[in-house]
Amino acid sequence: MKVSQKFFYQLLMLYRPFEKRLNVELNKHDLHRAQWTIIYYLENFGSSTLVELSNYQGVEKPTITRTINQLEELGYVEQVPGKDRREKRMQLTESGRQLYQAVRMTVDQYEEEILQGISEEDQLTAITVMDEIRKNIKL
C-alpha cells in the first residue's frame, strides 16, 4: 500500500470515531456536531450569513437553515440586520455565548484526552499537513 493510501486510510479510520465521541460529549449539552460548528464559528468569527456558514461547513444552505432554525428556537442565535435586507445575518445571543463557554470546557477536556502523548510539535505538523490538503481540495 502506498504511503498516500495509508495516510487517507488512517484519516478515515480517525474521523468516524472522533465524530461519534464528540457527539457524545456535545450531547451532554443537548447539542450535536453541526450545531456546535455553527456556535463555534459565530463565537470565533463573529456574525455571519447563512451562505458563509454553508461554505464554512461545506454543506448546502437548506441544511444550515434547518440547523440555524433549531438554534434560534433554543435561543442561542439571533438574526441581525445585514447590508442587504435579503441577507440573513446571524450572531450568538448572550445565552449562546454562555453555552459556548460551557461546551468549550467539555470539548477542551475531550481534545486534551485524545491528544495525550502527542507532542505540540507533532500537532503543529499535522495541522499544517491538514491545512495544505484542505487547500488542495478546494482548488
Side-chain angles (χ1 to χ4, degrees):
M1 186 183 292
K2 295 188 323 187
V3 172
S4 61
Q5 292 171 339
K6 288 180 183 180
F7 178 87
F8 288 106
Y9 173 77
Q10 288 299 321
L11 180 65
L12 291 172
M13 295 306 295
L14 171 68
Y15 177 76
R16 289 294 300 147
F18 170 79
E19 186 171 44
K20 184 178 178 183
R21 170 82 186 281
L22 178 63
N23 276 321
V24 168
E25 298 300 321
L26 293 173
N27 194 41
K28 295 174 183 176
H29 302 276
D30 297 319
L31 291 177
H32 54 78
R33 189 205 44 83
Q35 293 169 320
W36 169 243
T37 305
I38 289 173
I39 291 169
Y40 175 89
Y41 186 89
L42 294 175
E43 174 65 19
N44 289 282
F45 300 102
S47 70
S48 176
T49 66
L50 299 183
V51 171
E52 290 166 341
L53 289 167
S54 173
N55 290 337
Y56 172 71
Q57 285 200 10
V59 298
E60 299 296 320
K61 189 176 166 221
T63 303
I64 292 295
T65 300
R66 281 191 299 277
T67 306
I68 281 289
N69 289 341
Q70 293 167 351
L71 292 170
E72 265 187 303
E73 288 173 18
L74 293 167
Y76 299 138
V77 300
E78 63 188 356
Q79 189 170 348
V80 292
K83 299 173 199 161
D84 184 336
R85 279 191 278 160
R86 295 169 293 171
E87 177 182 83
K88 190 171 184 180
R89 183 166 280 284
M90 305 305 295
Q91 71 179 14
L92 288 179
T93 62
E94 182 57 35
S95 178
R97 284 189 283 282
Q98 290 174 6
L99 176 70
Y100 173 84
Q101 294 304 322
V103 176
R104 184 75 259 171
M105 288 173 54
T106 300
V107 171
D108 284 350
Q109 187 174 21
Y110 168 53
E111 290 173 349
E112 286 175 26
E113 178 187 317
I114 64 175
L115 287 172
Q116 277 185 345
I118 301 170
S119 71
E120 188 172 303
E121 181 181 341
D122 285 346
Q123 290 176 46
L124 290 170
T125 299
I127 290 166
T128 301
V129 169
M130 288 185 292
D131 188 50
E132 289 299 315
I133 292 169
R134 185 183 52 77
K135 288 175 186 172
N136 288 342
I137 290 171
K138 289 190 173 187
L139 290 176

